[in-house]
Amino acid sequence: MVKMNIREPRHFDKVRAQRQAKYRHKKLRKFGLGLFVALLVASLLVYGAYLRPLPSVVAKTVAPTVSAEQVALTWPAKGQAAIGVAGQGVMASTANQVAAPTASTAKVMLVLAVLKKHPLQPGEAGPLVPITEADVALYNKYLSMDGSVVKVQVGEQLTEYQALQAALIASGNNVADSLAIWAYGSMADYHKAANQLAQELGMTSSKFASDASGFLPETVSTAQDLTLLGQAALANPVIKDIVSQKSALLPVAGTIYNTNFLLGQQGVIGIKSGNTDQAGGCFIFASQRTITGGQTVTAVGAVMGAASFGQAAASSLPLLNSFYAGFSQQVVVPKGTVVARYKTAWGEQTNAVTVSDTVVLNWRGSKAEISLNDNNLKAPLPTNSPAGSLSAETAYGQTTTQLITSNALAVPSWQWRIIRH
């Protein structure tokens, strides 16, 4: 059999070549289009990454703490003492805070407890307190012991307000006991209420016992506790009014005079004297004076264990003077103080610094409270850009100082913006 080599016509080779070329061109065009799309997408991704907002720069606070300074107070030579500002508690005290007899300063607790049970509004006389034979017996008892008394008689009727005057102004031991029993039904129930109130006031070293007058030594306290008691008493407008009175008129006793002979001197506005053989001289005192900046400050303190009430009262004045001398316009944060630090994710750094001295009215023995309101910064940012504010606050006012950046924040390189994590 003869094998024949049959060739296709030449025009078929040309058609096949054209088809192959067309296929290769189509494939190349498809590849080129894909590469273009890929490059376009990559470019868009890169461009998008570059255009992403830069992260805010959050501050790391390094705000300074302001320590209290030492204030040289003139303490009594004998006994214990404490002092503070009305509404702010005890701000300074001697180290020897040991519970001791209170003498008549205990009557401040009595009037607080009575007004808690039978409240009065300023100007009100209140209910009547009838004087019975038992009340006259109390008068005779304290008179025989050479205690402080206010004369009463059977059938007399004191208003609650007058009875409070008799206890606080003339320091009548007998009226103090009569008031306690009238208000609470018995001395035992009064003591229960008084000791509960003492705990509520934070008077943790105090105990009220035996009587309501403080004449007997079983009622004990400390100068710190009596300072808290005095502040609580002055917060009651009725008590504040009574202790400021130099005299009062009662039905039987007639005109009574305040045992606090410092009243009206050097700003003294009250509040209670005391003196017994066991307690020595005791004094809860309050003074109202105008300090730097024209602000009025009411200082309240206590002296216990002096040789006499005269000594207790006399030692309170140097203590008050030295205490008020401790008030001043205090620079708590100087100008240029770094209060916050900023560091960007790409390594730039700046600080927030105060633009001026931060000055606030303060008693130097107390701390000023510092707070920051710092900004989240965004680059680019020039030097001295606003960076928030710093506030300093005391019980006597608040001041705010602006913060600025210590140096510029530059934007990152384009490479960082693209490949950032």
Side-chain angles (χ1 to χ4, degrees), residues 127-164:
L128 295 175
V129 182
I131 302 301
T132 66
E133 291 182 357
D135 299 308
V136 174
L138 284 171
Y139 169 78
N140 291 326
K141 167 190 166 184
Y142 280 110
L143 186 63
S144 67
M145 294 189 295
D146 199 26
S148 178
V149 293
V150 169
K151 188 176 181 180
V152 293
Q153 66 183 30
V154 176
E156 178 186 5
Q157 290 187 320
L158 296 171
T159 65
E160 180 184 350
Y161 186 82
Q162 289 173 327
L164 295 174

Side-chain angles (χ1 to χ4, degrees), residues 268-279:
V268 174
I269 58 173
I271 63 171
K272 189 70 191 77
S273 62
N275 189 60
T276 64
D277 292 340
Q278 297 92 341

Side-chain angles (χ1 to χ4, degrees), residues 1 20 52 57 77 109 152 155 175 182 189 220 229 255 283 288 305 313 322-323 352 380 415:
M1 183 175 184
Q20 289 175 346
R52 275 186 298 166
V57 189
M109 174 58 78
V152 293
V175 178
W182 170 79
D189 285 343
V220 295
L229 180 61
T255 301
F283 189 28
Q288 206 167 63
S322 61
F323 180 73
Q415 295 97 327

Side-chain angles (χ1 to χ4, degrees), residues 216-232:
L216 298 176
E218 286 77 15
T219 292
V220 295
S221 189
T222 63
Q224 286 183 340
D225 279 7
L226 291 185
T227 298
L228 295 176
L229 180 61
Q231 292 182 6

